Amino acid sequence: MRKFRDVLSRWNGGDLSMMEAGELLGMSERQFRRYRDRYEEAGDAGLLDRRLGKLSTRRVPAEAIEE
């Protein structure tokens, strides 16, 4: 999160283009825009992986494992 905030502040300052910012973070320009929008809407919580804490839809039912 700290690295994202640093790159975002450099982008806001005009030091980096959106493509350069994405490359520094190891993502595409489009993904950088998504992260930027989520960060502006929800702050640090917007950067967290939304899949954490959710069960997989491909998970095998417990009854099938017991058999």
Side-chain angles (χ1 to χ4, degrees):
M1 283 189 222
R2 182 182 304 157
K3 185 174 183 177
F4 177 80
R5 281 186 257 137
D6 292 341
V7 171
L8 183 64
S9 66
R10 289 176 59 193
W11 176 79
N12 283 332
D15 297 334
L16 297 173
S17 69
M18 202 167 278
M19 186 177 292
E20 292 169 335
E23 287 177 5
L24 283 174
L25 294 170
M27 61 179 73
S28 68
E29 175 185 354
R30 184 173 182 205
Q31 188 67 25
F32 175 73
R33 278 185 277 150
R34 289 183 189 138
Y35 270 66
R36 179 201 62 194
D37 294 343
R38 284 178 28 195
Y39 182 74
E40 289 175 357
E41 289 177 12
D44 287 340
L47 298 179
L48 296 176
D49 191 344
R50 292 185 254 173
R51 297 173 297 171
L52 295 176
K54 293 184 180 180
L55 296 177
S56 172
T57 57
R58 298 173 52 119
R59 184 176 177 154
V60 176
E63 299 85 30
I65 293 174
E66 292 174 3
E67 290 178 10

